[in-house]
Amino acid sequence: MSSLILIADDDADSVEALDSCLRREGFRTVVAADGQQAADLHAALKPDLVLLNIRLPIRDGWDVLGELRRRGETPVIMVSDLDQGANKLQALRIGADDYVVKPFKPIEVVARAQAILRRSNGDRSTKVLRVGPLEVQLENYLAAILTPAGKRRLDLTLTEFRILAHMARVPLRVFSRAEIMQACFLNQDVLERTIDSHVSHLRRKLDAADAAGLLTNVRGVGYRLETEV
């Protein structure tokens, strides 16, 4: 069966052009005219890719992207009429796979979607992240430490898992508290000390599973996942 693409946009002209082009290329499509409908359709239909406009009624694209990333790894292309580097950087940091600016040529957006789907379908190993002895199963929300005696599963809260998975995507990179807050608590008002508390609990669990030193603090900057312990 052909891939299903969710188009989340309230611009009728853009939707019509994208929908027509995608269908000509053999894709199935479904359309959401506001952010809440996009989130609901994603949960119900589990599309293979989402084209998500930032400016949406009821719930904006940032809010919806945060929810989709908390649910899983559905590829997302953010769409905006603002050609601002800060927006693109924010989208990629939160977890978008690509970012396109209006006005665009529909066939170019379709080409980007095809490329992302090829990577997603062709490399299922991206659903499992490995950093040193750490294994993170993104689809199953499971994390474990690999030891000579076997796997030691980590008993994590959902928030702890989100933080660990987010950092595991780019090991050795230092993540600031603001970046972790933005990626894992997008629609929540939290304090930086709340991030410190979650990371502290997570580090204790890693230490107890014989992975002491895997999650480190870079003083004055943030946190990093090491590749060796």
Side-chain angles (χ1 to χ4, degrees):
M1 184 177 293
S2 60
S3 297
L4 175 65
I5 296 183
L6 169 59
I7 305 171
D9 200 327
D10 64 337
D11 182 337
D13 291 337
S14 291
V15 169
E16 182 179 2
L18 282 171
D19 185 73
S20 176
C21 195
L22 286 164
R23 288 183 178 275
R24 282 199 305 270
E25 294 297 316
F27 292 103
R28 295 175 295 134
T29 61
V30 62
V31 176
D34 62 64
Q36 186 58 57
Q37 186 181 25
D40 292 343
L41 286 173
H42 177 270
L45 301 179
K46 296 180 173 56
D48 298 287
L49 182 140
V50 179
L51 294 170
L52 180 61
N53 194 357
I54 291 177
R55 295 188 180 185
L56 285 174
I58 304 180
R59 295 176 63 182
D60 66 25
W62 299 124
D63 191 25
V64 176
L65 176 60
E67 180 171 336
L68 300 195
R69 279 295 159 263
R70 289 190 290 273
R71 289 181 185 172
E73 296 297 310
T74 305
V76 177
I77 299 177
M78 297 297 285
V79 180
S80 174
D81 55 2
L82 299 175
D83 187 9
Q84 295 180 353
N87 276 349
K88 181 176 182 178
L89 183 59
Q90 181 180 359
L92 297 177
R93 280 177 173 172
I94 295 173
D97 296 86
D98 204 347
Y99 184 98
V100 297
V101 179
K102 295 181 179 180
F104 50 70
K105 294 181 179 180
I107 192 63
E108 293 180 359
V109 179
V110 173
R112 293 188 186 209
Q114 290 170 326
I116 290 170
L117 286 169
R118 279 196 298 270
R119 291 197 299 269
S120 177
N121 294 333
D123 185 9
R124 293 298 181 182
S125 65
T126 59
K127 302 301 181 183
V128 178
L129 304 176
R130 290 187 174 87
V131 180
L134 172 68
E135 178 183 272
V136 180
Q137 298 181 31
L138 298 174
E139 291 189 329
N140 299 328
Y141 289 85
L142 296 176
I145 298 300
L146 308 181
T147 72
K151 290 185 181 181
R152 297 188 63 175
R153 184 176 294 182
L154 298 170
D155 183 15
L156 305 180
T157 67
L158 180 57
T159 297
E160 290 164 358
F161 181 87
R162 289 172 185 161
I163 294 172
L164 186 62
H166 184 66
M167 297 180 68
R169 290 186 176 93
V170 193
L172 294 179
R173 175 185 168 184
V174 180
F175 290 87
S176 69
R177 292 167 179 81
E179 287 175 324
I180 295 173
M181 188 186 310
Q182 198 170 63
C184 303
F185 301 84
L186 186 62
N187 62 346
Q188 301 178 41
D189 185 15
V190 299
L191 301 174
E192 286 196 354
R193 63 173 175 267
T194 303
I195 303 296
D196 292 334
S197 177
H198 285 296
V199 171
S200 178
H201 290 311
L202 176 58
R203 183 158 43 198
R204 281 200 295 270
K205 293 177 181 180
L206 290 168
D207 291 352
D210 293 331
L214 186 65
L215 177 55
T216 60
N217 176 38
V218 180
R219 186 178 297 275
V221 183
Y223 299 100
R224 175 174 59 207
L225 272 184
E226 305 291 346
T227 56
E228 298 180 1
V229 294

